[in-house]
Amino acid sequence: GTVLGNRYEIIEKIGEGGMACVYKARCRLLNRNVAVKVLREEFVDDEDFIKKFKRESQAAASLSHPNIVNVYDVGVEKIGENFIHYIVMEYIKGKTLKEIIKEKGKLSVEETLDYSIQIAEALEHAHKNHIVHRDIKPHNIMVTDDGRVKVTDFGIARAATTSTVTTSTNVIGSVHYFSPEQARGGYTDEKSDIYSLGIVMYEMITGKVPYEGDSPISIALKHIEGEIEPPRKIDSTVPIGLEKIIMKCVQKNQFDRYQSAGELLYDLKKLKYSCVDDFIENTSII
Ligand code: ATP
Ligand code: MG
Ligand code: MG
């Protein structure tokens, strides 16, 4: 098989996204599995894009957190006349959150809180290091078999969303999670990630995204001026506290949302422990 950098032996293709293909590979030097993300050929001649890809790989590599996929290495390989750009990451054995939601239909309150807390922990760490994800969506969240969350594509996502790939599946897929300011093509910051996480939480607990439409534009417009149906309208068993948290994340105005991932974490944890208390209360029959 193909060996990149005289070091990473490609084993099999494990996924495909808007800007890259992902392969499982074996690092010959350290004798361990890795995930190698290879930039799609159509972007190889786009110098601006390559620059962003590199810059964002560096940003992602600077983060070290249990809920963020580790970036190990980057490289360029000349194969024939073509250059192949790739990024080497920690290999995650598990499923994407998208797959999990699809399989289960929707998640329980416990699972939703548990995953949301872990994603918010990842965001808090990144934001403290001045890195905004900009593409928080269930495809970019991996869950290991023992329930540990690993957020992928940190920072790398920016390369994809600011370049000219507006018609690629990447942006079409992401628009469901776009913040209003992102949908407008405006300034995005930490609060955009919080909005996107709010949409992901909404999808976990209800099993569906709040806005659907015939085209990416129509969905983007709904993020800008549409009204979100509260989760309890869809499923009355959703705890009020959880609905409140979600609705505070998905406010149109950045200043009406949680102002930091830390603030969001505080409410999520408070709710998690109050649910545990309720559970104990309701089951203490003896
Ligand atoms: P986009 O490029 O639009 O972000 P995406 O996130 O679906 O789309 P990729 O990030 O290229 O695409 O990843 C494609 C798939 O590869 C993922 O959905 C996941 O199944 C798998 N994958 C990505 N990173 C890893 C990893 N570190 N370990 C294991 N599998 C991974
Ligand atoms: Mg991805
Ligand atoms: Mg991606």
Side-chain angles (χ1 to χ4, degrees):
T2 309
V3 180
L4 296 172
N6 201 23
R7 179 170 181 180
Y8 305 107
E9 201 174 325
I10 303 292
I11 298 171
E12 61 180 340
K13 190 170 172 174
I14 48 179
E16 204 169 342
M19 64 185 284
C21 288
V22 181
Y23 299 87
K24 182 179 180 179
R26 185 109 191 131
C27 174
R28 286 176 163 178
L29 235 72
L30 295 170
N31 198 31
R32 64 175 175 185
N33 289 336
V34 292
V36 180
K37 188 162 190 165
V38 178
L39 191 63
R40 279 179 186 282
E41 246 173 76
E42 57 248 52
F43 299 125
V44 166
D45 294 326
D46 187 337
E47 258 180 58
D48 264 7
F49 192 87
I50 298 292
K51 257 191 218 158
K52 278 177 197 152
F53 185 70
K54 282 187 186 159
R55 199 166 51 220
E56 300 304 330
S57 307
Q58 287 167 350
S62 74
L63 298 173
S64 170
H65 188 273
N67 298 118
I68 297 176
V69 171
N70 264 308
V71 172
Y72 297 141
D73 198 8
V74 287
V76 190
E77 180 99 353
K78 195 164 188 241
I79 295 185
E81 283 300 293
N82 299 318
F83 287 97
I84 286 186
H85 294 258
Y86 62 92
I87 171 166
V88 184
M89 301 172 284
E90 175 184 6
Y91 174 74
I92 308 298
K93 196 174 162 294
K95 288 176 189 162
T96 68
L97 185 57
K98 190 79 199 172
E99 292 169 303
I100 294 177
I101 296 171
K102 209 173 166 188
E103 271 172 24
K104 296 194 173 176
K106 60 182 166 189
L107 307 189
S108 69
V109 176
E110 289 74 20
E111 281 174 306
T112 300
L113 280 175
D114 189 28
Y115 295 161
S116 302
I117 286 170
Q118 294 187 62
I119 302 164
E121 301 267 17
L123 288 181
E124 185 185 40
H125 178 78
H127 293 170
K128 278 186 176 159
N129 287 281
H130 312 289
I131 293 170
V132 180
H133 190 292
R134 293 192 174 81
D135 197 20
I136 289 291
K137 57 178 177 180
H139 312 79
N140 280 339
I141 295 157
M142 305 230 21
V143 183
T144 65
D145 299 333
D146 53 354
R148 246 172 312 178
V149 168
K150 300 272 185 177
V151 181
T152 73
D153 285 357
F154 245 102
I156 306 162
R158 193 161 87 184
T161 46
T162 55
S163 91
T164 49
V165 290
T166 39
T167 55
S168 81
T169 49
N170 177 52
V171 171
I172 291 169
S174 302
V175 79
H176 286 107
Y177 308 91
F178 269 15
S179 64
E181 58 273 19
Q182 225 171 348
R184 266 191 232 103
Y187 177 77
T188 56
D189 63 9
E190 290 83 350
K191 268 94 82 189
S192 303
D193 283 347
I194 288 175
Y195 181 96
S196 302
L197 173 52
I199 302 291
V200 173
M201 288 167 63
Y202 187 101
E203 188 177 359
M204 283 193 272
I205 199 67
T206 67
K208 61 192 208 90
V209 288
Y211 300 130
E212 290 285 6
D214 301 330
S215 65
I217 307 255
S218 72
I219 298 168
L221 266 176
K222 288 179 185 170
H223 282 287
I224 294 169
E225 51 190 26
E227 211 176 295
I228 286 186
E229 187 174 25
R232 283 166 57 84
K233 283 261 163 65
I234 299 168
D235 175 358
S236 59
T237 68
V238 173
I240 295 180
L242 182 56
E243 176 174 279
K244 276 188 183 158
I245 292 173
I246 293 172
M247 296 310 278
K248 189 164 175 181
C249 289
V250 298
Q251 290 297 308
K252 307 282 181 210
N253 187 327
Q254 280 145 293
F255 298 100
D256 294 332
R257 296 175 208 152
Y258 289 102
Q259 293 303 290
S260 70
E263 256 181 46
L264 167 60
L265 261 178
Y266 181 85
D267 275 4
L268 284 170
K269 286 181 177 170
K270 207 166 72 182
L271 181 63
K272 179 179 166 165
Y273 296 116
S274 76
C275 285
V276 171
D277 286 348
D278 284 352
F279 179 75
I280 292 167
E281 231 163 74
N282 294 333
T283 48
S284 58
I285 337 155
I286 323 158

